[in-house]
Amino acid sequence: MKRTISFLFFILSSFIINAQEIISPNGKIKVILNLPDKNAVHHLSFKALYKIENKFTEVLSDSKLGINRTDEQFVDNLHFVAASKSVSVHDTYKMVCGKRQLCENFGTEKTFSFKNSNQQPINIVFRVYNDGVAFRYTFPNHLDSKVNIINEATTYVLPDKTSCWMQPYDISYEKFFPLNKTDSTTNTEQVRGFPALYKVNEQSVWTLISEANITENNCAAKLTNLKNSNQYQVTYPSSRDNFQQAGVMTTLPWNSQWHTLIIGKLSDIVESTLISDVSDPNQLKDTEWIKPGAVSWIYWANNHGSKDYKKVVEYVDLAVEMNWPYVLIDWEWDVMSNGGDITDAVNYAKSKGIKPLMWYNSGTIWLDPTPNDRLLTAEKRAKEFSWLNKIGVYGIKVDFFAGDQQDMMTYYIDILKDAAKYHLLVNFHGATVPRGWARTFPNLMTTEAVYGAEWYNNDQVLTNKAAAHNTTLPFTRNVIGSMDYTPVTFSDSQHPHITSYAHELALSVVFESGLQHFADRSSAYESLPEEPKEFLKQVPVAWDDTKLIDGFPGEKVIMARKKGNKWYIAGLNGKNVPQTLLVKFDFMDKGDYNFELIKDGKDGQSFSSEIIKIKKGSTVKIECLPNGGFAGMVK
């Protein structure tokens, strides 16, 4: 009898050691961590599950964990030491711009401690949220000499035959998110950039993979699958010609970035703030000077327009006409002529009550566009930013970064810190995707890292793909942070676009960006009918709340964003055929409201406007042209 009891105790103990669960506060998401057997070693793995109708569905299959340094490996040689108790993570914070002003960081955290075969420690920290999972590696011991962290074994294993929307990796993150399906029998070689969206088989559950809280002691990663199209390994960037280091050089203790998986319904993905939730809190004591806003932008219609003082004046006047607070003076302002120089242009903007922003080349990759070397060192930044303060400039756009290596992460953060000292807003272009810095440094207003309207200048691909692409971005790139797409263009640049005027108007709401650069010619905005023109004069760029009403990547999207006591509603038809979009007002408070709707007219270059009486629970059917859309305001 005693032997039987002892044997059962051994079996129970082994089970407890071999599988540990962490469950979200609402009980809908569960992580199972598979640990090495007691006194044995093998690789670590975890899987994630989501509850649908009281049954857990596997959204991430058994996925390998581990990380390597040049001096030590922590992959297949780990001994389990201990697991902490589950603790609650719960705080609230405010964002200057983004999906909502007030955010809640609410999850369950558990830390697992291991030692490798050389008795060197490593911890893996898991957090399980109501809308996802985050985990990171930590080296807890102290070491003043630097170690080189070279790669991870972390591999996300997606269920077979899963629909995926992932962009091919590019250092500027300017690619499409094509739809593909995983197939475990197909060997491929693909490198994908974050974020990566997938829908689990035929289930109504989605996952978006990304990462957050990059510091100076991290590089940014990407996803690589070399064997099976459903297995994606977290991969560090290769060295560059002028930066030969691989991985990360750091002293200890050290934390990796947070690896994130946003999980749930499609609305959970779109509305999630997980990326900022796990990022470091605001490091700026004073944020009152940070003001999101709309920007008149010269480059799209006039590629070299910032060389021309009179063109800059035209766009200042446009900002005045449209009630937009900012004007961006883009590249080549250092050789401005035709009636004035950069100081004259800044003074003219200020005289009209418009706040000027100015473009800079980061000085790290493509050096032809000028000015190209004014920010590379702390000394140069101090000199330049002091001058910008002196002449009255409110922010900078920094372009053409060299990649995702550790030196670039440090450079981004140094720019944000130094710009904050001089009360300068920041827009990163030709840059990595957002990884939570907008919470830590709220003067980061937006980041490009998107195949945006600027590409109408470069080739004709966007002409036929824009509508589907625009209805994919709200579920992928824009989920993880502000997106400088440079939207709302009615005329044509070098290559035409076939999205309707109402589709273009809707982008002002569907796409979120702390600085929303309206890109078209001044004549295009000035000639708009009264209703869309007034809409663009008052549409906010920073929001109190965000709701996804309906949508599917590449097909359609309907977004609702709140500012004060008003809701702004906009929808896009991603198809090249007519489509009826249904707006369900379930999210409204009780009461009677007017829905001031602007939609497609008789053709793609006209509008139709009407006011519809609605209340909570109302449904409005809106007929959209091919590649069409609508925008409106509820008050």
Side-chain angles (χ1 to χ4, degrees):
M1 184 70 178
K2 289 182 178 178
R3 287 182 179 179
T4 301
I5 293 173
S6 297
F7 177 74
L8 290 174
F9 179 77
F10 172 78
I11 294 296
L12 180 60
S13 299
S14 297
F15 176 77
I16 293 172
I17 290 173
N18 290 339
Q20 296 237 6
E21 295 183 354
I22 314 108
I23 299 177
S24 63
N26 65 2
K28 296 196 71 172
I29 297 177
K30 177 166 63 176
V31 165
I32 300 176
L33 183 64
N34 295 316
L35 302 175
D37 295 332
K38 193 173 183 180
N39 300 319
V41 296
H42 63 71
H43 73 261
L44 299 175
S45 62
F46 80 104
K47 57 184 176 181
L49 302 95
Y50 181 78
K51 185 180 286 187
I52 303 175
E53 297 178 351
N54 296 318
K55 181 180 179 181
F56 278 106
T57 295
E58 192 173 279
V59 298
L60 186 75
S61 302
D62 205 34
S63 297
K64 190 172 183 177
L65 296 167
I67 193 167
N68 288 312
R69 307 190 320 229
T70 53
D71 62 324
E72 298 284 348
Q73 71 153 328
F74 300 85
V75 178
D76 296 321
N77 60 342
L78 296 181
H79 292 264
F80 175 58
V81 176
S84 73
K85 293 182 179 179
S86 295
V87 296
S88 176
V89 175
H90 197 184
D91 63 87
T92 58
Y93 61 96
K94 288 186 176 181
M95 293 289 289
V96 173
C97 58
K99 301 171 189 177
R100 61 184 55 87
Q101 183 184 56
L102 185 63
C103 300
E104 184 179 31
N105 178 24
F106 184 32
T108 302
E109 180 177 291
K110 196 167 187 177
T111 300
F112 300 89
S113 300
F114 305 89
K115 287 186 177 179
N116 71 2
S117 53
N118 293 327
Q119 300 303 300
Q120 295 301 303
I122 185 174
N123 296 337
I124 305 178
V125 183
F126 271 90
R127 288 184 184 176
V128 183
Y129 289 82
N130 292 338
D131 61 355
V133 174
F135 66 95
R136 69 179 179 184
Y137 304 99
T138 72
F139 293 124
N141 53 324
H142 289 261
L143 186 64
D144 292 333
S145 58
K146 289 189 175 182
V147 298
N148 187 188
I149 302 163
I150 53 173
N151 58 46
E152 294 189 22
T154 311
T155 302
Y156 299 109
V157 180
L158 281 54
D160 290 341
K161 298 179 181 178
T162 287
S163 299
C164 304
W165 290 261
M166 300 183 184
Q167 64 173 325
Y169 177 75
D170 178 81
I171 65 169
S172 64
Y173 292 84
E174 296 179 46
K175 297 291 183 180
F176 293 107
F177 290 82
L179 168 62
N180 291 292
K181 285 187 177 287
T182 61
D183 182 349
S184 60
T185 64
T186 302
N187 292 326
T188 62
E189 183 172 347
Q190 299 174 336
V191 182
R192 301 295 190 183
F194 291 122
L197 176 70
Y198 66 91
K199 181 178 183 293
V200 180
N201 300 320
E202 300 304 317
Q203 303 293 328
S204 58
V205 58
W206 301 72
T207 301
L208 186 77
I209 304 173
S210 197
E211 59 182 7
N213 204 41
I214 298 286
T215 72
E216 299 95 329
N217 290 319
N218 303 118
C219 58
K222 53 194 173 185
L223 296 173
T224 304
N225 65 318
L226 299 177
K227 297 179 180 179
N228 297 310
S229 62
N230 63 334
Q231 297 184 12
Y232 290 86
Q233 183 172 354
V234 173
T235 309
Y236 292 168
S238 303
S239 60
R240 312 188 305 272
D241 289 343
N242 62 345
F243 188 74
Q244 289 299 310
Q245 172 190 305
V248 174
M249 295 294 296
T250 181
T251 57
L252 304 182
W254 174 84
N255 295 323
S256 77
Q257 72 277 36
W258 284 103
H259 303 66
T260 61
L261 300 99
I262 304 173
I263 300 170
K265 303 185 297 295
L266 204 49
S267 58
D268 295 321
I269 304 293
V270 171
E271 297 166 20
S272 175
T273 58
L274 184 62
I275 298 299
S276 58
D277 291 346
V278 299
S279 295
D280 288 341
N282 174 19
Q283 293 187 12
L284 309 184
K285 293 181 180 180
D286 173 23
T287 59
E288 289 300 314
W289 56 274
I290 303 174
K291 304 295 184 184
V295 189
S296 68
W297 186 47
I298 196 170
Y299 171 87
W300 188 82
N302 304 272
N303 292 174
H304 299 280
S306 294
K307 294 169 63 173
D308 187 332
Y309 172 77
K310 291 182 180 178
K311 277 292 180 184
V312 174
V313 165
E314 177 186 328
Y315 277 77
V316 171
D317 293 342
L318 172 64
V320 174
E321 166 71 13
M322 297 300 294
N323 197 35
W324 299 336
Y326 296 103
V327 63
L328 174 62
I329 305 172
D330 215 275
W331 68 356
E332 301 173 319
W333 54 257
D334 55 323
V335 291
M336 189 183 298
S337 60
N338 194 24
D341 60 15
I342 183 61
T343 304
D344 297 320
V346 168
N347 286 336
Y348 181 80
K350 292 191 298 179
S351 74
K352 296 293 184 177
I354 302 301
K355 300 175 181 178
L357 313 171
M358 283 167 51
W359 182 96
Y360 284 88
N361 190 325
S362 78
T364 61
I365 185 167
W366 184 26
L367 301 181
D368 292 338
T370 62
N372 63 18
D373 183 14
R374 301 196 183 191
L375 305 181
L376 274 172
T377 66
E379 293 75 19
K380 288 181 178 180
R381 289 191 294 273
K383 179 182 178 181
E384 197 70 13
F385 294 167
S386 295
W387 174 66
L388 293 180
N389 279 175
K390 182 179 178 181
I391 65 174
V393 171
Y394 287 78
I396 58 173
K397 171 183 175 180
V398 189
D399 210 341
F400 304 130
F401 288 89
D404 282 329
Q405 293 83 0
Q406 184 182 7
D407 67 327
M408 287 296 101
M409 301 301 106
T410 300
Y411 190 25
Y412 285 120
I413 293 169
D414 286 346
I415 290 173
L416 290 170
K417 288 179 176 178
D418 289 346
K421 295 175 187 176
Y422 295 87
H423 286 194
L424 293 171
L425 308 179
V426 177
N427 169 12
F428 286 138
H429 243 238
T432 195
V433 292
R435 288 175 163 90
W437 290 329
R439 179 184 180 188
T440 312
F441 306 102
N443 58 321
L444 176 58
M445 307 306 292
T446 191
T447 302
E448 186 187 27
V450 65
Y451 197 101
E454 192 175 280
W455 276 89
Y456 285 117
N457 283 299
N458 301 333
D459 61 42
Q460 60 187 5
V461 173
L462 197 55
T463 296
N464 293 314
K465 287 191 174 184
H469 181 52
N470 293 345
T471 52
T472 302
L473 293 173
F475 309 106
T476 51
R477 164 61 184 86
N478 212 182
V479 172
I480 61 173
S482 286
M483 180 178 74
D484 193 17
Y485 179 99
T486 59
V488 190
T489 54
F490 305 105
S491 67
D492 288 332
S493 185
Q494 275 82 342
H495 298 280
H497 53 344
I498 58 175
T499 50
S500 75
Y501 280 15
H503 181 114
E504 290 295 317
L505 183 69
L507 298 181
S508 65
V509 175
V510 173
F511 292 164
E512 181 273 313
S513 181
L515 290 174
Q516 190 74 282
H517 290 82
F518 294 125
D520 210 343
R521 294 168 172 81
S522 56
S523 58
Y525 295 119
E526 291 163 355
S527 62
L528 285 171
E530 179 181 357
E531 291 86 356
K533 187 174 183 179
E534 287 301 313
F535 186 86
L536 286 178
K537 284 184 176 182
Q538 59 183 300
V539 64
V541 305
W543 305 98
D544 295 332
D545 201 6
T546 292
K547 299 287 185 184
L548 175 68
I549 297 176
D550 192 16
F552 193 90
E555 296 184 6
K556 62 182 177 180
V557 62
I558 305 173
M559 197 79 77
R561 299 192 193 270
K562 188 178 185 182
K563 186 67 173 182
N565 62 356
K566 298 177 181 177
W567 281 96
Y568 292 79
I569 320 292
L572 304 175
N573 177 9
K575 298 181 178 181
N576 197 28
V577 295
Q579 188 172 185
T580 301
L581 300 184
L582 300 180
V583 183
K584 298 180 180 180
F585 289 93
D586 298 335
F587 57 92
M588 301 290 299
D589 294 329
K590 289 183 178 180
D592 297 318
Y593 302 92
N594 289 329
F595 179 30
E596 299 176 358
L597 174 64
I598 307 169
K599 59 182 180 179
D600 291 321
K602 63 181 183 301
D603 55 39
Q605 296 184 344
S606 62
F607 297 96
S608 174
S609 301
E610 60 181 308
I611 297 176
I612 302 172
K613 300 288 185 180
I614 61 106
K615 59 184 179 180
K616 182 179 177 65
S618 295
T619 298
V620 175
K621 295 182 179 180
I622 303 174
E623 302 296 331
C624 293
L625 294 173
N627 309 304
F630 72 88
M633 179 175 63
V634 177
K635 62 180 183 179

